[in-house]
Amino acid sequence: MDLTWSPAEEAFRAEARGWLEANVPRGLPSGDTREGFTAHLEWERKLFADRWAVVSWPERYGGRDASLWEWLIFEEEYYRAGAPQRVTQNGIFLLAPTVFEFGTAEQQDEILPRMAAAEQLWGQGWSEPGAGSDLAAISSRADKVDGGWRINGQKTWTTRGAFCTHLFGLFRTDPEASRHAGLTYLLVPLDTPGVTVRGFGRLDGDEGFAEVFFDDVVVPDSAVLGGVGQGWSVAMATTGSERGLTLRSPGRFLAAAERLRRLAVERAGSLTASARDGVVEAHLRAEAYQLFTLAQVTDLVEGRTPGAESSLNKLYWSELDIALHETALELLGPEAELDGPWSRGHMFSLSGPIYAGTNEIQRSIVAERLLGLPRR
C-alpha cells in the first residue's frame, strides 16, 4: 500500500482545509434538538452551495467527482477543523450508497440531488418494538394494492425522525416467506396520509428520536428500492455502510485523539500513569483504524467489497470511542460533570455498541463469516 498522497490530493487537502477554516461555524447547539437541527441545516446547505456536502458524488448531484481517497482526506480535514455533526448523515452516508447501488435512474435523479441539498432529510426505519437487533423479526406490513403498497405497523428509535421529511426501511411484503425472505425496502415521505411521527426525549435532553406509526399508508410502486422481496439484500448493503467506513471515518477518531492529547497537556501536573497510557493507546488505536480503513479503500478501488469485514469496523470504532472518552473523564476528574463536550460525548459513545447492530451480533458475524467458526 502506498501511504503517500499525490500532488493533486495534497492540493485537494489544502483547498478543503482553507475553506473549512474560513467557514466552520462555532457554538452550534446539539443537532438532536429542534433549535439545533435548524441551525445545522443552514450549515449543511452552505456545504452544498460550495460543493463540499458530498464530495465523492458526481457533479450532477452536487458533488465534485472526488475519489474515495479524497473523500477520506475531506473527512479528516472536516473533523480536524472541529466542524459540526452531519445531521444529514442517515441519508448521505447510509441511504445514498444503497441508492447508487440499487436505485433506478429515476430514483437516483429524484432523491440524490435533494438529499445533497438538505431538502430531503432521511430517517432510518429499522427497529420495531419487537425487533431491535434481530432485524429479520420485523412485523410491519406492506400489502400490494393497485399501483403501490399499503403499509401498517410501527418503527421506533428513528434517529432525528422528529425532524426528518422521509424514511427508508424494511417492511414485510410476504408474511408466508421465511424470516429473511419476503422483505421489501421502501422509501416513504413522512407527510403521506396515515403517517404519525411521535418524537420523544432522551435523558440527555435531546429530542430528535421518534416513533413512526403507519396506518393504511399508501405509497406507489416507485417507492420500492431494489426489488420486491429483495429487502434483506438491499438492507445488508445499507448496514455495511452503517457499520463500515462511511458512518465513522477515521478522521473523527484522529481528531478526538488529538483533542485528548491536548487535554492531557493541559493537565500534565496531575497526569496519572493510567491516564497517560489511555492517551497513548487512543492515538495508537486511532491510527490503526486509519490504516485499516486505507486497506479497505484499497480493496474498494480495486473492486473488492468488504462484506462481513464491516463488522470489524463497527466493533473497533465503537469500543475505541468509549475508551477514548473514559480517558478524558479520568483526566477531568470531578470536573467531568461540568465539561459539556466530553461528558456528552461519553454518554453518546455508550450507545455505540448498540446501534448499527449490537456488538454481540457483530462478534457472531465475525466468528461465523470471517473465522469460519460453527454457529453452535
Side-chain angles (χ1 to χ4, degrees), residues 65-311:
D65 280 311
S67 68
L68 281 175
W69 303 114
E70 289 170 326
W71 174 78
L72 281 175
I73 289 171
F74 178 75
E75 286 285 292
E76 188 173 320
E77 292 302 320
Y78 188 88
Y79 286 105
R80 175 187 174 278
Q85 65 187 122
R86 299 294 302 274
V87 297
T88 57
Q89 68 179 23
N90 281 352
I92 289 174
F93 295 148
L94 303 187
L95 176 60
T98 313
V99 172
F100 275 114
E101 183 174 356
F102 294 97
T104 64
E106 292 77 14
Q107 286 174 323
Q108 292 174 357
D109 290 344
E110 163 66 23
I111 294 169
L112 295 172
R114 291 170 176 81
M115 182 190 293
E119 295 171 0
Q120 287 186 359
L121 308 166
W122 290 84
Q124 185 184 55
W126 276 179
S127 297
E128 298 181 5
S133 295
D134 187 5
L135 184 59
I138 66 166
S139 59
S140 290
R141 290 276 298 274
D143 297 308
K144 192 72 181 79
V145 296
D146 187 25
W149 298 86
R150 178 181 287 113
I151 304 173
N152 285 280
Q154 175 187 355
K155 299 293 182 179
T156 192
W157 307 120
T158 306
T159 304
R160 301 190 187 97
F163 313 138
C164 288
T165 63
H166 291 67
L167 176 141
F168 61 92
L170 277 184
F171 298 86
R172 195 161 293 283
T173 50
D174 183 358
E176 303 303 320
S178 63
R179 279 166 36 93
H180 294 86
L183 298 172
T184 299
Y185 197 118
L186 294 174
L187 308 174
V188 185
L190 291 177
D191 61 358
T192 306
V195 175
T196 300
V197 179
R198 182 182 301 163
F200 57 91
R202 300 191 320 214
L203 289 175
D204 61 4
D206 288 346
E207 53 186 328
F209 265 136
E211 296 175 294
V212 183
F213 300 86
F214 304 89
D215 184 12
D216 288 336
V217 174
V218 177
V219 296
D221 285 325
S222 60
V224 174
L225 180 64
V228 175
Q230 302 302 309
W232 185 260
S233 296
V234 182
M236 289 305 97
T238 303
T239 59
S241 298
E242 185 177 25
R243 296 166 186 167
L245 62 93
T246 56
L247 184 63
R248 293 290 179 261
S249 66
R252 176 189 181 107
F253 301 103
L254 291 169
E258 175 57 21
R259 291 199 308 274
L260 183 65
R261 184 195 65 80
R262 292 198 298 266
L263 179 63
V265 170
E266 292 171 8
R267 299 184 172 258
S270 57
L271 191 62
T272 65
S274 171
R276 182 190 62 231
D277 290 347
V279 172
V280 173
E281 184 174 350
H283 266 271
L284 292 174
R285 291 175 67 181
E287 291 184 11
Y289 182 54
Q290 181 188 37
L291 292 171
F292 180 73
T293 301
L294 292 174
Q296 278 197 321
V297 172
T298 299
D299 284 342
L300 288 169
V301 169
E302 295 179 357
R304 297 182 295 274
T305 57
E309 287 185 7
S310 63
S311 292

